[in-house]
Amino acid sequence: MRTIRASEIGSYLFCHRAWWYQLQGAPSINQKELAAGSQYHHRHGRTVLRADFLRAAGWVLLMLAILAFAILLTLQFLHA
C-alpha cells in the first residue's frame, strides 16, 4: 500500500492525464516552474524557522525581564 500525497491529489484534480503521466514517471515539461516553486518553498521554510526562533527568543527575553524586575523589587523591599 502506498501513501498518497496532497500534491498528488492536487495533480489529479487539476488534470487526470497529468496525474497519470506523473504516475508513469514521465518528465514534466515545466521543469523551470517546478524548480522555482521548490526554491520558493525552501526560502519560505527558512523564513518560518527564523520566525519561530525569534518568537522563542522574544519569550526568553520577556521571562528574563520579568525575573530581573522581580529581583529588583525584592532587593528594594529588603533594603527598605
Side-chain angles (χ1 to χ4, degrees), residues 38-58:
S38 293
Q39 188 178 34
Y40 169 79
H41 282 97
H42 181 71
R43 282 193 317 267
H44 177 68
R46 284 193 317 231
T47 301
V48 169
L49 284 175
R50 189 173 343 176
D52 287 345
F53 172 77
L54 290 174
R55 182 180 300 116

Side-chain angles (χ1 to χ4, degrees), residues 4-20 22:
I4 298 174
R5 301 180 323 212
S7 62
E8 188 176 348
I9 294 171
S11 293
Y12 180 81
L13 293 174
F14 181 72
C15 177
H16 304 305
R17 182 167 293 185
W19 169 80
W20 185 82
Q22 184 182 20

